[in-house]
Amino acid sequence: MSTGAVRIRPDHARATWKPTFLWLLTSQRWTGPKPINVYVIEHERGVVVFDTGQDRASVTDPDYFPTGLAGVVFDRLARFEIAEDETLPVLMQAEGFDPAAVTHVVISHLHQDHIGGIADFPEAEVIVSRDEWDAHRKAGAEVQGYMRDHIDLPGVSWRIVDFEPTADPLLADFGGALDLFGDGSLVVLPTAGHTSGSISLLVRRPGWAPILLAGDLTFDAHHFDEEHIPGIGSRRQLRASTKRVRALRARLPGLVVAAAHDPGAAELFTAAISDPGGLEKGRP
Ligand SMILES: [Zn+2]
């Protein structure tokens, strides 16, 4: 499901020679609307939400965004359209999910369009990587896209993850992993780049092709296939993580990379869960 739509700068979706500050301050163009994807996964041991979308308050509350330099950055970065019925609780209820029943929320990174719904899951543990947690508390974090006012909220039960070495040889080169339920079906992997603490969630279920919920590691599966990295983040880390995921796909044939803002993600996801042949090599 998607909490409304976002338009970004073309240089954001796909890096060009221009450094971030240059296109951010000079670009006159917006992309077409892109989704702000949230994934809900039912597991026998809990209900897991991956990313929580953009808060509708960002389009209704004039005080949502900071003022000053950070305000300029947020203003030039993205345009959101979020209808009344596109808040995460409404979207979930429409699909028959009770937000109060969610046990785990995995946050790819702490930017606004991924943390918008964290307060909607009071019963869940909200998982974030140690690097990401530390990044949002650093001086100057706001101009890097972190709004502490909307992250450090009362009632959110954060679980800050230090990745442990994994015994799964398929995943060894990620330098650590978090197997959410200990059965290999949902594995959090560090995929630094867009931010230094960005993570992805590998989903492996019988009868499905393996899926990597990749947050903002890429903005489009076609860009990913062509090794075009996004225009925000560390290019070195983005290239390294992209290479690692591509190597994983060689070991897990049929691996679907589902990005948070890929207009084609829903279609890819639907194909993955209706592809009975895609999983055999991906079984944990
Ligand atoms: Zn995003």
Side-chain angles (χ1 to χ4, degrees):
M1 47 197 75
S2 171
T3 62
V6 61
R7 293 171 190 271
I8 57 176
R9 304 296 185 178
D11 297 84
H12 184 168
R14 180 182 154 163
T16 60
W17 63 271
K18 289 181 193 169
T20 304
F21 76 89
L22 183 61
W23 62 254
L24 187 64
L25 295 177
T26 61
S27 180
Q28 300 297 319
R29 295 166 53 215
W30 296 105
T31 65
K34 295 175 181 293
I36 310 165
N37 286 332
V38 174
Y39 297 92
V40 184
I41 302 157
E42 288 178 296
H43 185 280
E44 61 191 8
R45 291 183 49 202
V47 180
V48 181
V49 168
F50 183 80
D51 279 339
T52 64
Q54 178 80 11
D55 190 343
R56 187 160 185 269
S58 65
V59 297
T60 58
D61 177 358
D63 297 325
Y64 186 84
F65 290 101
T67 54
L69 176 63
V72 173
V73 169
F74 284 111
D75 187 51
R76 294 207 48 89
L77 193 62
R79 286 277 180 272
F80 295 95
E81 290 153 37
I82 308 167
E84 225 168 297
D85 59 355
E86 288 177 320
T87 67
L88 193 46
V90 171
L91 290 168
M92 287 184 68
Q93 277 152 10
E95 297 291 336
F97 295 109
D98 175 9
V102 171
T103 54
H104 299 74
V105 175
V106 180
I107 300 290
S108 66
H109 63 293
L110 292 171
H111 284 164
Q112 55 173 329
D113 50 319
H114 302 260
I115 54 93
I118 51 174
D120 295 322
F121 305 102
E123 303 301 321
E125 66 176 23
V126 183
I127 293 166
V128 65
S129 76
R130 168 77 58 194
D131 283 351
E132 192 67 8
W133 185 258
D134 290 348
H136 102 283
R137 302 186 85 112
K138 280 187 187 140
E142 212 169 42
V143 290
Q144 304 286 330
Y146 298 107
M147 285 188 275
R148 279 186 72 169
D149 288 358
H150 302 306
I151 297 169
D152 297 342
L153 297 174
V156 178
S157 306
W158 291 101
R159 174 176 168 194
I160 298 159
V161 169
D162 294 298
F163 289 103
E164 304 282 340
T166 168
D168 187 338
L170 278 176
L171 308 175
D173 58 356
F174 284 88
L178 172 70
D179 185 344
L180 216 50
F181 294 121
D183 63 359
S185 64
L186 297 170
V187 183
V188 181
L189 295 168
T191 48
H194 178 68
T195 64
S196 60
S198 284
I199 58 182
S200 297
L201 183 65
L202 177 63
V203 182
R204 290 179 287 182
R205 301 290 299 144
W208 292 10
I211 302 168
L212 188 74
L213 306 180
D216 291 357
L217 174 63
T218 181
F219 281 77
D220 190 300
H222 300 296
H223 292 175
F224 184 82
D225 288 345
E226 291 156 16
E227 295 187 59
H228 295 303
I229 57 173
I232 285 196
S234 154
R235 294 189 182 206
R236 183 183 55 78
Q237 287 182 338
L238 280 165
R239 286 205 184 89
S241 290
T242 299
K243 208 171 144 195
R244 229 169 261 134
V245 172
R246 291 172 65 88
L248 177 65
R249 187 162 63 181
R251 298 190 294 271
L252 279 178
L255 177 72
V256 167
V257 176
H261 308 295
D262 185 350
E267 205 177 314
L268 283 173
F269 200 89
T270 307
I273 65 177
S274 53
D275 172 12
L279 188 72
E280 282 317 303
K281 290 227 170 71
R283 288 290 292 276

